[in-house]
Structures are given as structure tokens and as C-alpha cells.
Amino acid sequence: MAEDDTAARFVDWFRSSSPYIHAFRGQTFVLVFGGELVAGDRFIELAHDIALLNGLGIKLVLVHGSRPQIEERLRARGAQNQYLHGLRVTDEEAMACAKEAAGAISIEIAAALSMGLANTPMAGARIRVSSGNFVTARPLGIIEGVDYRYTGTVRRVDHQAIQQQLDAGAIVLLSPIGYSPTGEVFNLSAQEVAAAVAGALGARKYVCLMEAPGLQDADGRLMRELSLAEAEARLAERPDLAPALAEGMRHALDACRAGVRRAHLPDYRV
């Protein structure tokens, strides 16, 4: 009887998932996550989830961060990490570390998405990963007397080229690196890249996997949904918000203002 109940619950759950499958097949999701997730032991689980979404016909753009990997490389060189106002000051040495980290992380992600062992969620997935110089950047410049050097900001997204790769069935993988028309390379915010790409593509969802708990109300309960106006008000009213959460909310708002239907900020540790 217990086995029958378990089977019935599974069938009921599986049937109830079908409206979501129909609703999101052929839609675009932009998923951004930090270098902490790639370096941890949870990334293989995320690769399995990515394979599932891809198998359901969802078009995926992945944007990875690289902060801990850059910091590790700078420490190995005996160099200092320089942050001002929450932004890295990227000098020549930091830029070299950022390039190394971005390349190594992209390879790790592509390797994880290439797994196809039998009796695993990746069996038969045959995922193709596409990367490229899809993001044009410009220097952040001098702010309050500080020259941020090779720290940049997004100037333009080649959304047509990204869309061609998505339409061909590939997952597009982007690093927090941007390129200028003069051939310079800039270190960018992964969340800024993801929000800009999501807006340019008209993505259905922007998903930022956070290493932080979500926004809570006055009673300590997780707030599961906010309108744009409510989110903007919370940011203005709560200067004590954890920096990571505040940054995540700001970029989620940027994505939604650019036309993305929904933005999600789940804690990847849960």
C-alpha cells in the first residue's frame, strides 16, 4: 500500500508539472552564479538541473562570476585585492588574474555539462556549449577620484549573435569579461552582464543564484514575491541589507526594467 501511495503521489506531481513545461518550452532563461558555486561541491547538482532545463526545451544563457578565483590567484602572486565602494580596482596584475580565472572556470563548466555517464541525470544529454565575444564593454573610469583601470561596464550586447546560438540548440556560456572596439579587455560584474543580456534578449526569466538568504519581512519570514515598486521601496528603506542581497536586488530590478518578465534570487545553498 505504501508503494502504491508513493507511486500515486509521484504521478500526481509529474502531471502537475506539465503546465510549466508547456509554458516555458522555447523560452529563454538567463542564469547567473558566483565563482563560489563553481568552486564548491554543489556545482554538479546545478549541472544536472541545467541539463534538465535544456532537455525540457528551455533556452539557457549561463553567466559565471570569478571573484574567489581571482582573489586566490592574486594571493598566490603576493598582490593585494583592491576594493572601493564594493568594486574591484582592476590593475594589470588583477586583469591578468581575471583572464586566467575566466578561462579556467569556463572550461570547468563546459566539462561538467559534457558529462554523459549512464545512470546519471546527464546520460544522453549531449549539451553543446557556446562562448564568444558577445559583450562589448567600456571602462568604468574615474569615480570620486579613483581610477578603476580595467574594471568596466557593459556598453552593448550582441543579442542577435547570442540568439543564433540559442536557436541552434546550444547553451550560451558568458564570463564577466568584456571587450572594447579598440581590443581592450575589461573585468565586469557578472550580475551586470546577466541583467544586460537578459534585457537585450527579452528573456522570460532572470535567475541569480545567491550565497545569501532572501529578503525577509519584519517578522523574519521570507518574502517570496515583490513588485518592482515594492522592491525599490525595500532597497530605499533598508540601508542595512547585506551587500550581496542589495546588489542582487538592484540587478534583478535592472533586468525587469529592461523587459524581463520575472527575476528570481534563490539561495543556492538550499
Side-chain angles (χ1 to χ4, degrees), residues 165-177:
Q165 296 301 316
L166 295 174
D167 291 343
I171 290 177
V172 173
L173 174 61
L174 302 177
S175 66
I177 297 290

Side-chain angles (χ1 to χ4, degrees), residues 107-212:
I107 290 171
E108 289 181 32
I109 294 172
L113 295 176
S114 298
M115 293 188 299
L117 292 174
N119 301 318
T120 74
M122 302 292 290
R126 296 184 180 87
I127 294 173
R128 291 189 294 111
V129 179
S130 175
S131 300
N133 57 339
F134 300 122
V135 177
T136 302
R138 61 177 176 81
L140 195 59
I142 298 173
I143 301 176
E144 297 182 7
V146 177
D147 186 353
Y148 282 85
R149 307 290 300 279
Y150 295 102
T151 299
T153 187
V154 175
R155 181 194 294 270
R156 186 177 65 85
V157 174
D158 190 350
H159 62 280
Q160 293 177 328
I162 294 175
Q163 191 65 58
Q164 287 175 354
Q165 296 301 316
L166 295 174
D167 291 343
I171 290 177
V172 173
L173 174 61
L174 302 177
S175 66
I177 297 290
Y179 309 87
S180 78
T182 58
E184 291 181 290
V185 181
F186 293 101
N187 183 33
L188 309 177
S189 158
Q191 291 186 38
E192 182 194 358
V193 171
V197 169
L201 290 172
R204 183 70 175 267
K205 288 182 181 291
Y206 166 91
V207 183
C208 178
L209 296 175
M210 306 283 292
E211 193 183 24

Side-chain angles (χ1 to χ4, degrees), residues 12-235:
D12 182 61
W13 169 84
F14 196 68
R15 285 173 176 160
S16 67
S17 70
S18 62
Y20 298 96
I21 296 172
H22 295 313
F24 296 126
R25 181 184 292 115
Q27 300 294 315
T28 300
F29 292 4
V30 176
L31 179 64
V32 58
F33 45 88
E36 298 85 359
L37 177 53
V38 181
D41 57 4
R42 302 292 296 273
F43 186 71
I44 296 302
E45 296 177 12
L46 176 61
H48 294 167
D49 293 340
I50 290 170
L52 173 61
L53 293 174
N54 180 252
L56 293 175
I58 293 170
K59 299 177 180 180
L60 293 170
V61 178
L62 310 181
V63 185
H64 70 78
S66 56
R67 178 173 290 193
Q69 288 84 355
I70 295 173
E71 292 175 349
E72 180 182 358
R73 283 166 169 78
L74 285 171
R75 285 193 298 268
R77 295 177 180 219
Q80 290 186 339
N81 286 292
Q82 301 179 63
Y83 287 96
L84 288 171
H85 309 295
L87 294 170
R88 182 187 299 280
V89 178
T90 309
D91 58 16
E92 288 88 349
E93 197 158 25
M95 192 66 241
C97 293
K99 292 176 184 177
E100 291 176 8
I105 294 170
S106 294
I107 290 171
E108 289 181 32
I109 294 172
L113 295 176
S114 298
M115 293 188 299
L117 292 174
N119 301 318
T120 74
M122 302 292 290
R126 296 184 180 87
I127 294 173
R128 291 189 294 111
V129 179
S130 175
S131 300
N133 57 339
F134 300 122
V135 177
T136 302
R138 61 177 176 81
L140 195 59
I142 298 173
I143 301 176
E144 297 182 7
V146 177
D147 186 353
Y148 282 85
R149 307 290 300 279
Y150 295 102
T151 299
T153 187
V154 175
R155 181 194 294 270
R156 186 177 65 85
V157 174
D158 190 350
H159 62 280
Q160 293 177 328
I162 294 175
Q163 191 65 58
Q164 287 175 354
Q165 296 301 316
L166 295 174
D167 291 343
I171 290 177
V172 173
L173 174 61
L174 302 177
S175 66
I177 297 290
Y179 309 87
S180 78
T182 58
E184 291 181 290
V185 181
F186 293 101
N187 183 33
L188 309 177
S189 158
Q191 291 186 38
E192 182 194 358
V193 171
V197 169
L201 290 172
R204 183 70 175 267
K205 288 182 181 291
Y206 166 91
V207 183
C208 178
L209 296 175
M210 306 283 292
E211 193 183 24
L215 187 66
Q216 298 177 345
D217 63 17
D219 297 321
R221 293 173 299 195
L222 182 66
M223 303 187 72
R224 299 193 174 276
E225 188 169 358
L226 291 169
S227 67
L228 292 189
E230 290 169 335
E232 289 167 348
R234 290 283 174 174
L235 274 174

